[in-house]
Amino acid sequence: MVSVEKAATEDITPSGGLRRDVGLIGLMWASVGSIIGSGWLYGAHDAVIQAGPSAIISWVIGAVAIVLLALVHAELGGMFPVAGGTARYPHYAFGGLAGMSFGWFSWLQAATVAPIEVEAMIGYAGHWSWAQHFQHADKTLTTSGLLVAIVLMAVFVGVNFFGVRVLAHTNSAATWWKIAVPLGAIFIMAATHFHPANFHSEGFAPFGAKGVLAAISTSGIIFALLGFEQAIQLAGESRNPKKDLPRATLGSVAIGAVIYVLLQVVFIAALPHSSFAHGWAHLAYKGDSGPWAGLATLVGLGWLAVVLYLDAIISPGGTGLIYTTATSRVSYGLAKNGYAPKIFTKTDARGVPWFGLVMSFVTGVICFLPFPSWHQLVGFITSASVLMYAGAPLAYGVFADKLPGHERPYRLPAGKLVSPLAFVVANLIIYWSGWGTLWRLGLAIVLGYLLLGGYAWYAHNKNLPDAPRLDFKAAQWLPVYLIGMGLISWQGSFGGQNHIALWWDILVIAAFSIGIYYWAKATASTAEDIERSIDEVVVTDAPAH
C-alpha cells in the first residue's frame, strides 16, 4: 500500500541526506496501517466459500508467502532507500527493459486498487434500499451501479486535485479507525456468538487442497496481507535499519496475519448453521453483499452493523483516495525515467500531476467493465501485485553476486536460499489466481508493452534526450518468463485445460521458476552498469511543490 505522506515527500532532504528519525514503532505502524485495509470486509466471506473452514490454513500459507517476499524486500530496502523500490530494483539489475516492465506492473497494481475500493463501497451500500439496485444478484454492477462507480472514481480524482494535504493530516486517525473496527468485531462476535460445531458440521476442508490453494489468490487473502513494503519504503529514514527493518516487516505481517486469521475463525464460528446448511459453496444469508455487517445484523448486533457499514465507507474510501494519488505518482516516475510521455510530469499550480490523475480515472472506469465486482477484480490485483514484487527476489540474486561490498543495513540470513524460494512462491500465488484472471492480466501486459514500447520507439526515432535505453540482453529471460507463466496456467488445473494435474503443476512452476531465476542472474547487467543505473536514477516520485 502507499501512504499519502510518503507519496507527497522527496527521497532526500534539501541538505542531500535522509533524516533517520523513524523508529521501530513508526515503521511497523506504517505497514500495519496498510495491511489492515478494506480486504477484511470481504476476505473471510470469500475464503470460506472457496475453502470451507480450512480457509484458516489458506491465511497461514498466505502469511508465510508474504513473509518470504517481505524479507527479501527488507534487505533491498536498506541497500536502496528510495521510494518506489519495487520498480527500481529490476531497473538496476536488468536495465531499462526490465525497469519499464516492472514499472508498468507497478502502475497496473496501483491503478486497479481504487476501482476495487469503489466496488467494496457499493457492495456494502446494498444494505440500504436506495442502493440495492446497484448490483445484480451475482454482485456484479448494474447499469446504475456502474454510473455510481464512475461518480465515485471522479470524486477520488477531484479530492486528489484539492485535498491531498488534508488526507495526509487525517491518515493517522484513519489508521486507528481501520485497526480498531476489525478488532472490535472479533472480540464482540467471539464473546456473543461462537459455535464450535461450525468447523466440522459440513466438513473442515470440503474442497480439498485445491480449494485451500485457490483461496489464497482469488478470495482476497494475499490482497489483504499486502502492505509490508511501507516500512521498507521508509528504510532510508530509519534510525536503526539493521534491527528495525526485519522487526517491522515481520512484526507487521505477523500482526496482520493474526488479525485476519482471527477474523476468519470468528466469522465461521458466528454464522448460523442455516446459512451454510447446503454446503459452504452455497453460503447465503440476508445482507451478505456486505458480509460482516450483514452477519452482525443477522445475529442481532444492529449497533455493530451500523459501525461496520460506516467503516465500509471510510476504509475503502480512504484507500481509494490514496491509491489514486499513488497511480498518478507512478506514471509521473515512469515519465521521468523516459518510459512514458512527458505530459505525465506536468503539474498544476498545486503541484498535482493532473494528467496522471485523469488517466487513473479513465483506467478505473475501464476496470469496471471486465471486472464488475469486488470478487472478480481481487484476483487480478493480487496477480499484478505479486508480479510486481517478483522482481525483487530476481534483483536480490544479482546484487548478492555483483554488489557484495554494497552497504547492507540489514542482511537477510540464508538470502541466497530465501530469494529463489520467494520467487517460486510468488509465481505459485500468480498461478493460483487461475487462467481466467491471468489471460486478462496478459492482455494488460501486452497493452503496456504496446503503449510504453511505442513511446520508446518514437523517442528513439525522434532522438529525444530522455529516450530510454532498453537493455534486451540483460532482460532476455523476461518474455520467456511472462509467456511461460501464461502457458502453464492455460494448461494447468486452476481454470485451465487441466492437462497438468494438481501437485504436478506446483512442481512445474517450481522448476520453471528456478530456471528463470538462474537465467536472469546469468544474463544480468554488469556491476559497472548497475552502479551507473543507481547513479543515474534521480528522485521522481513527487512533483515540485
Side-chain angles (χ1 to χ4, degrees):
M1 303 293 178
V2 177
S3 68
V4 171
E5 292 94 335
K6 189 63 182 173
T9 59
E10 300 280 358
D11 290 349
I12 55 174
T13 63
S15 61
L18 290 159
R19 295 180 57 185
R20 295 189 176 274
D21 54 7
V22 180
L24 172 63
I25 300 302
L27 293 172
M28 189 179 299
W29 193 245
S31 287
V32 171
S34 294
I35 291 171
I36 306 298
S38 61
W40 86 273
L41 295 170
Y42 286 100
H45 172 272
D46 286 15
V48 80
I49 288 177
Q50 293 245 23
S54 62
I56 297 167
I57 299 174
S58 303
W59 284 100
V60 174
I61 296 173
V64 172
I66 290 298
V67 165
L68 289 173
L69 287 169
L71 284 172
V72 172
H73 279 79
E75 178 167 323
L76 296 182
M79 290 179 68
F80 309 111
V82 293
T86 48
R88 291 185 184 181
Y89 307 146
H91 175 87
Y92 296 156
F94 306 107
L97 179 59
M100 179 184 75
S101 301
F102 283 90
W104 175 249
F105 305 155
S106 179
W107 186 87
L108 269 181
Q109 182 263 352
T112 49
V113 171
I116 201 174
E117 303 304 336
V118 166
E119 289 175 343
M121 295 169 73
I122 292 175
Y124 266 75
H127 163 70
W128 292 286
S129 58
W130 55 267
Q132 289 175 355
H133 60 283
F134 293 159
Q135 288 185 320
H136 295 294
D138 62 358
K139 300 176 184 176
T140 57
L141 295 175
T142 62
T143 301
S144 58
L146 177 60
L147 292 174
V148 171
I150 293 172
V151 169
L152 288 173
M153 280 297 304
V155 170
F156 286 169
V157 171
V159 172
N160 267 277
F161 269 113
F162 301 106
V164 175
R165 293 192 181 278
V166 174
L167 286 175
H169 291 304
T170 60
N171 192 53
S172 178
T175 299
W176 278 104
W177 169 274
K178 287 162 63 177
I179 293 173
V181 172
L183 284 176
I186 289 169
F187 291 118
I188 294 166
M189 285 287 194
T192 57
H193 298 82
F194 197 94
H195 311 298
N198 288 2
F199 294 96
H200 57 78
S201 61
E202 302 300 327
F204 179 73
F207 312 110
K210 189 172 182 179
V212 172
L213 298 177
I216 295 169
S217 297
T218 60
S219 67
I221 289 176
I222 295 297
F223 171 75
L225 289 168
L226 295 176
F228 65 83
E229 72 274 14
Q230 277 305 307
I232 294 160
Q233 294 282 41
L234 294 169
E237 294 149 270
S238 168
R239 282 198 296 265
N240 191 354
K242 186 173 182 178
K243 290 185 177 180
D244 290 350
L245 271 181
R247 291 175 179 175
T249 302
L250 290 175
S252 63
V253 174
I255 291 170
V258 168
I259 290 175
Y260 280 120
V261 169
L262 289 176
L263 281 166
Q264 186 68 76
V265 169
V266 171
F267 182 83
I268 294 169
L271 287 166
H273 184 264
S274 59
S275 64
F276 60 92
H278 300 293
W280 287 105
H282 303 288
L283 173 66
Y285 53 89
K286 185 178 180 181
D288 63 359
S289 62
W292 273 99
L295 178 59
T297 302
L298 187 66
V299 300
L301 296 172
W303 66 270
L304 177 60
V306 172
V307 174
L308 294 176
Y309 282 121
L310 182 60
D311 180 66
I313 297 172
I314 295 174
S315 287
T319 303
L321 285 167
I322 289 171
Y323 268 87
T324 302
T325 305
T327 305
S328 66
R329 296 308 177 94
V330 173
S331 59
Y332 181 96
L334 286 171
K336 277 287 189 179
N337 283 342
Y339 300 140
K342 284 301 181 185
I343 191 172
F344 283 98
T345 66
K346 300 296 183 183
T347 59
D348 64 13
R350 296 180 178 86
V352 174
W354 62 270
F355 190 76
L357 282 179
V358 171
M359 292 308 298
S360 70
F361 168 76
V362 172
T363 305
V365 172
I366 292 173
C367 283
F368 294 133
L369 302 178
F371 304 106
S373 73
W374 190 94
H375 319 273
Q376 293 176 354
L377 185 52
V378 70
F380 182 90
I381 294 178
T382 295
S383 299
S385 299
V386 177
L387 183 59
M388 173 184 71
Y389 291 136
L394 294 173
Y396 180 99
V398 174
F399 299 147
D401 287 347
K402 300 192 175 183
L403 299 179
H406 198 288
E407 182 185 1
R408 287 169 167 80
Y410 165 65
R411 189 177 293 273
L412 173 61
K416 291 190 176 182
L417 176 64
V418 173
S419 61
L421 180 59
F423 186 60
V424 171
V425 168
N427 290 328
L428 285 172
I429 293 171
I430 294 169
Y431 171 71
W432 291 332
S433 294
W435 172 243
T437 294
L438 293 189
W439 75 260
R440 291 180 173 87
L441 180 60
L443 289 180
I445 291 172
V446 170
L447 176 62
Y449 281 126
L450 290 175
L451 293 174
L452 300 185
Y455 176 73
W457 176 83
Y458 168 80
H460 278 288
N461 272 4
K462 295 294 185 180
N463 293 316
L464 299 182
D466 62 339
R469 295 196 304 272
L470 303 180
D471 189 343
F472 291 94
K473 182 180 178 182
Q476 60 186 262
W477 53 270
L478 184 56
V480 177
Y481 166 54
L482 296 175
I483 295 171
M485 285 297 298
L487 290 174
I488 295 171
S489 176
W490 176 42
Q491 294 298 307
S493 58
F494 287 79
Q497 299 296 307
N498 209 28
H499 292 157
I500 309 175
L502 183 66
W503 304 119
W504 284 107
D505 53 2
I506 293 177
L507 288 176
V508 169
I509 288 288
F512 176 73
S513 300
I514 294 298
I516 293 294
Y517 181 87
Y518 286 102
W519 183 10
K521 280 184 61 177
T523 59
S525 301
T526 65
E528 293 76 15
D529 286 341
I530 293 172
E531 295 284 6
R532 190 181 305 114
S533 294
I534 294 170
D535 291 338
E536 286 177 354
V537 173
V538 296
V539 176
T540 61
D541 298 288
H545 297 288

